[in-house]
Amino acid sequence: MDNDRLLGDFLRTRRETTSLEDVGLPPSGRRRTPGLRREELAMLAGVSSDYYIRLEQGRERNPSQQVLTALAEALRLDADATDYLYELVHTRAWPPRADVRGPEHVSPALLQLMAGWHSNPAFVIGRGLNVLAATPLATTLYEGVAHQENCLKLVFFCPSSRDFYLDWEEAAAYKVAELRAAVGRDPGNPDLIQLIEELSEHSEEFRSLWARHHVRTRRNEVKRFRHRDVGPVTVSWDVFTVNSAPTQQLIVMGAEPDSTSERALAHLGRTVARASA
C-alpha cells in the first residue's frame, strides 16, 4: 500500500471535512468545494500553498515533524488521528519482518491462562484484526454470529451482526477506524491489504466508512450485544498489549456487578460448564 497516496488521501479527506467554523475562520460566502481550501489549510499550518499541494499529491515525501504537528493542529486532529498522520510518514519500527509476516500464534502460557477464565469472555486479536484465540465463554457470547475469525468480517459479512450489535452503525464505524489505524502502523501488510479489498468488494457501507479516513485505536469501552438466548448484554471491554507479541492484543470483558448482564454471563458460563463436563 502506497504511503504517499495514503498520506495525500488522508490530508485531502480531513481538509474537505473541516469547516471554516471548525478552525475559527470567518465565513467566506458560497463555496464550490466542501471544507477548507488548500491555501487556507497551508496558511493555518504555516507552510506555502505549493508545499502543501505537493504533500497532498504525494510529491513531497519527507515532511518534518514540525510540519506534521502544524497540520495536525490546523486540522484539529485528535490523538489517534495525529498518531496515524505521523505513522504514515515515519512507519513504526516493528520487530524483524520475519516476526510480523506469516501465521501468528498465541503463546502457550497465555492460552493456559485464558483456559482458567470461566467468568469473563476474552479473546486475542492479531495484526490483521484476526481473532487468534478465545475463551469458551467468549465463543458462547458470540454464538450464532458468523465470521468470528475476524473483527471486520463479522460486522460486514454476517447479516445477523446487525441484530447482535445493539449499536451496529457505531460498531461498524469503530471497526473501520481501527482498521485504518492498523494500516497506518503497517501499510505494507498483505493481510490488511487483502482484507480491505475483500471488504470493499463486498460492502458499500464499508467503502463509505473507509473513505472517511477516520482513525481510532482500540481502547477500553462499553459494548452492547443481544444474545439470542439471554437477550441484551452490556459489558466493559478492557484492552491489554501482549508484551511477548506486540502486534497482539488481549481483550477481556466484564459486566457490572449485580446487573442483569452479569447474571446473563453467569448463565452462559453454566451452559459452557455443562457442555464441557
Side-chain angles (χ1 to χ4, degrees), residues 73-258:
E73 291 176 352
L75 289 168
R76 305 299 194 263
L77 300 183
D78 61 17
D80 288 341
T82 299
D83 287 345
Y84 176 77
L85 176 62
Y86 290 150
E87 286 168 347
L88 289 179
V89 178
H90 306 292
T91 304
R92 182 179 303 181
W94 291 112
R97 304 313 293 177
D99 293 340
V100 295
R101 293 290 184 263
E104 286 187 282
H105 302 284
V106 180
S107 72
L110 180 54
L111 290 174
Q112 183 177 6
L113 180 66
M114 293 173 65
W117 293 347
H118 304 300
S119 302
N120 295 93
F123 50 92
V124 178
I125 301 294
R127 62 178 179 266
L129 302 177
N130 293 318
V131 178
L132 305 178
T135 62
L137 183 53
T139 301
T140 301
L141 178 61
Y142 282 75
E143 189 176 16
V145 183
H147 298 286
Q148 294 185 30
E149 75 280 1
N150 183 274
C151 298
L152 273 295
K153 290 182 179 179
L154 186 154
V155 171
F156 290 100
F157 287 2
C158 177
S160 63
S161 70
R162 296 175 183 270
D163 294 323
F164 178 69
Y165 286 104
L166 292 177
D167 307 297
W168 186 90
E169 291 81 5
E170 180 179 296
Y174 279 1
K175 295 302 182 188
V176 174
E178 289 168 359
L179 178 59
R180 177 68 70 178
V183 168
R185 292 190 294 269
D186 192 5
N189 189 312
D191 294 334
L192 293 177
I193 294 171
Q194 181 179 353
L195 177 61
I196 293 165
E197 290 174 349
E198 290 180 18
L199 292 165
S200 298
E201 182 178 353
H202 177 84
S203 171
E204 181 178 351
E205 288 168 306
F206 172 81
R207 293 194 299 272
S208 176
L209 289 169
W210 185 249
R212 296 180 187 177
H213 285 259
H214 289 176
V215 183
R216 188 175 190 274
T217 57
R218 189 175 288 112
R219 58 169 63 89
N220 300 349
E221 57 195 58
V222 173
K223 297 285 187 180
R224 299 171 64 238
F225 308 120
R226 181 186 289 110
H227 190 274
R228 62 184 185 183
D229 293 330
V230 298
V233 179
T234 300
V235 297
S236 59
W237 175 302
D238 294 301
V239 182
F240 305 91
T241 299
V242 180
N243 287 340
S244 60
T247 59
Q248 296 179 11
Q249 291 181 314
L250 172 66
I251 290 94
V252 182
M253 294 180 251
E256 188 73 22
D258 298 321

Side-chain angles (χ1 to χ4, degrees), residues 248-276:
Q248 296 179 11
Q249 291 181 314
L250 172 66
I251 290 94
V252 182
M253 294 180 251
E256 188 73 22
D258 298 321
S259 65
T260 56
S261 294
E262 184 183 54
R263 289 188 285 274
L265 288 181
H267 174 82
L268 294 177
R270 291 191 291 272
T271 300
V272 171
R274 288 194 296 270
S276 59

